[in-house]
Amino acid sequence: MSTTTFYRKRKFWYWAGGIVGAIVVLLGIAALVLSSKWKPTLTAKIKDGVKEASQGLYRIDFKDIRLNLITGTAVLDSISLVPDTSVFNQLRANRAAPAHLFRIKLAHLKISRLGVLTAYFKKKVALKAIILDQPSIDMIYHKVPKRKVPAKEEQTLYQLISKSLKSISVGQIKVQDANFDYYHGKQKLNAVKHLSISVKDILIDSLSQFDTTRVFHSRNIGFELLGYQSVTKDKMYTLKLDTLRGSITGRDLEVRGFKMVPMYPKLTFSRKYSTQKDRYDLDFRKISLAGIDYVGLNNNGELYVKEVNLGPARVDVFMNRELPPPNIDKARNFPHVALRRLPVPTIVERLKIAKIDVAYGEYNPKTKEIGAVKLNGLNGTISNLSNDSARLSLRNHAYADLTAYVMGTAEMNVKIDFNLTAKNAAFQYKGTVKAFDLKALNAISKPLGQIAIESGKVTGAYFDVSANNSGSRGVVSFFYTDLKIKMLGEDENGKEKKKGLLSFLANTMLIKDDNIPGEKARKVTVTHERVPQASFFNLMWKTVFKGMREAVGIGIVPMKKMPEPKKK
């Protein structure tokens, strides 16, 4: 190549590069000019669009909008989305209000691949992604009357925007590291940090408006929470979970590694209070919900769940008996009574329990020991859990069928029939216990009753009881052989010793060695009066225990009464 040819080619590339550079500069200047001119128009369109799409229920404000026509990106600064309470009150009066309102604030909202010209000239909005980074989201529940207008007769979102736009499509909406607060009216119920939400393939047009495969106009809405940890309001527990994942489209939710960890050891914890207070130590490896009606929850404030699965898990409950009981009626905490206090109408078709180990321990100040009842491998189902008035008018009973191993050895099956509408908290329960060695109960009887079981075999037991918040009445059959006990006390040094005379008298004069099934078998009719401080499980086991005492011959020995509650 000659020198002249080389310089001609180099001159050509300089010339071509100059033209390209000039075009880029001109496009940049044009983009800046157009962006500044489009800003007021786009600002008005966004505000009007939100107001129109929500039928005036919401308004959006932002400090500034930065638009780049070349890259198709837009950034909104200092954004707030707030409901108009006057419009909400009008909708509520007309029975057309949603059950939930939202307040959203964030520093920046990023929009990518926005086709501004297509949106302006063809009335089609197409976005690749909308990113909300570290927003603050408040979700507020209001009790509202059921909607007067059926959902099928309400205008769709497309019908609301069709005068301004032909379609809206968004590839993905990402909410990153959100602070989420849930309110019941003005009362904050829950606060969650670091929540992530992903909404994919949103489409609003004439065809998709009736697409039943989409939820809130999207193909999939998922949410995720990782490594959550917080301290309860009373500073007595730490709440932890490893992962929480759910899909509104898939109608599911899964929690792994949920723990409620007490801040103090058992006795230290209990002595923080002036009255008896249950201490809970919970560890649920897995909790899953299926068939959740998220749409109904949002629109009507009603929770429907087809199935809840709990377990594997560990539940440890502790009570210190050196303190007086609280001056309250614990009947309000019976499971089917507490269900009524849920803030939203709820239906759970089936609750399945699998591989849950339960321990309930009490500290006896006299023996200075903790005795614990253990139910290992708790499995079973509970059906028709509901506080929904429409459901209860048709089906007002919940049924539990549970199996566990008492103290890890005795297989027990219990069936419970809860009357969900009874004012006196009525329920019935019946069950069976298979054969086991009575010495397994020494872990309870020695620290709590100062009685050691030296020998005894249970061949079987049966109970059938009707109960309510006043007490219980039923039948208990307790079959056993070769029962011998040892009465315990303390010597001068506080060490455990056998009360020989009392043990002899109990074994020879009171206790009946056996109760064998047959015509001569002893079947005990039990009546038990409940005190207000007795819990649901206290009522259940004390009734059965009373029947067992009668069966073995010590029914004439008075049972220890619960101490008087602390006066307010």
Side-chain angles (χ1 to χ4, degrees), residues 306-567:
K306 186 175 182 180
E307 184 170 288
V308 178
N309 285 272
L310 298 179
R314 177 185 57 80
V315 176
D316 192 340
V317 185
F318 171 75
M319 170 74 77
N320 184 354
R321 289 295 179 190
E322 72 181 357
L323 300 169
N327 193 15
I328 61 171
D329 189 347
K330 288 189 175 182
R332 71 188 302 270
N333 293 325
F334 283 13
H336 52 312
V337 177
L339 181 63
R340 300 172 193 170
R341 299 200 303 274
L342 290 180
V344 297
T346 300
I347 298 173
V348 177
E349 295 287 4
R350 184 169 57 255
L351 170 64
K352 296 180 71 174
I353 299 169
K355 299 179 181 178
I356 297 182
D357 292 333
V358 181
Y360 175 77
E362 288 187 1
Y363 175 74
N364 185 343
K366 188 174 182 179
T367 62
K368 295 181 173 55
E369 291 182 303
I370 296 174
V373 178
K374 296 181 180 180
L375 301 177
N376 298 107
L378 179 63
N379 292 276
T381 60
I382 306 175
S383 60
N384 194 44
L385 288 167
S386 180
N387 64 351
D388 181 77
S389 57
R391 167 59 74 93
L392 294 177
S393 66
L394 301 173
R395 298 166 57 191
N396 68 332
H397 284 252
Y399 301 97
D401 189 347
L402 307 172
T403 300
Y405 287 86
V406 182
M407 308 305 290
T409 60
E411 184 179 347
M412 177 178 68
N413 175 258
V414 180
K415 294 178 172 61
I416 310 174
D417 177 353
F418 298 94
N419 187 327
L420 300 177
T421 54
K423 292 183 179 180
N424 66 350
F427 66 99
Q428 294 180 313
Y429 64 101
K430 60 183 179 180
T432 58
V433 181
K434 292 186 178 180
F436 71 99
D437 191 327
L438 273 168
K439 287 188 287 185
L441 300 181
N442 278 326
I444 314 166
S445 63
K446 290 177 68 175
L448 299 184
Q450 290 189 288
I451 296 174
I453 300 171
E454 294 187 311
S455 67
K457 302 285 185 181
V458 173
T459 58
Y462 172 81
F463 48 89
D464 189 348
V465 181
S466 296
N468 56 44
N469 56 15
S470 298
S472 58
R473 181 177 175 81
V475 175
V476 177
S477 296
F478 182 56
F479 305 116
Y480 62 93
T481 59
D482 191 30
L483 176 60
K484 294 289 185 296
I485 67 168
K486 178 172 65 175
M487 308 294 289
L488 302 176
E490 296 178 355
D491 61 19
E492 295 178 355
N493 299 318
K495 293 183 179 181
E496 179 185 293
K497 72 171 185 177
K498 178 179 178 179
K499 292 183 176 180
L501 178 59
L502 288 178
S503 298
F504 172 77
L505 292 174
N507 285 316
T508 57
M509 300 182 66
L510 294 178
I511 291 178
K512 299 170 182 176
D513 291 346
D514 53 42
N515 187 24
I516 300 171
E519 293 182 3
K520 296 183 179 181
R522 297 183 298 279
K523 183 183 291 186
V524 180
T525 298
V526 183
T527 300
H528 177 67
E529 184 178 349
R530 175 185 170 270
V531 296
Q533 293 74 38
S535 67
F536 177 79
F537 294 104
N538 179 280
L539 174 61
M540 288 184 68
W541 80 260
K542 270 207 169 178
T543 304
V544 176
F545 181 61
K546 200 170 184 179
M548 292 169 61
R549 285 167 50 90
E550 291 281 353
V552 301
I554 59 173
I556 61 172
V557 180
M559 292 178 68
K560 184 179 179 181
K561 292 184 178 180
M562 188 173 288
E564 290 294 321
K566 182 177 180 180
K567 295 182 179 179

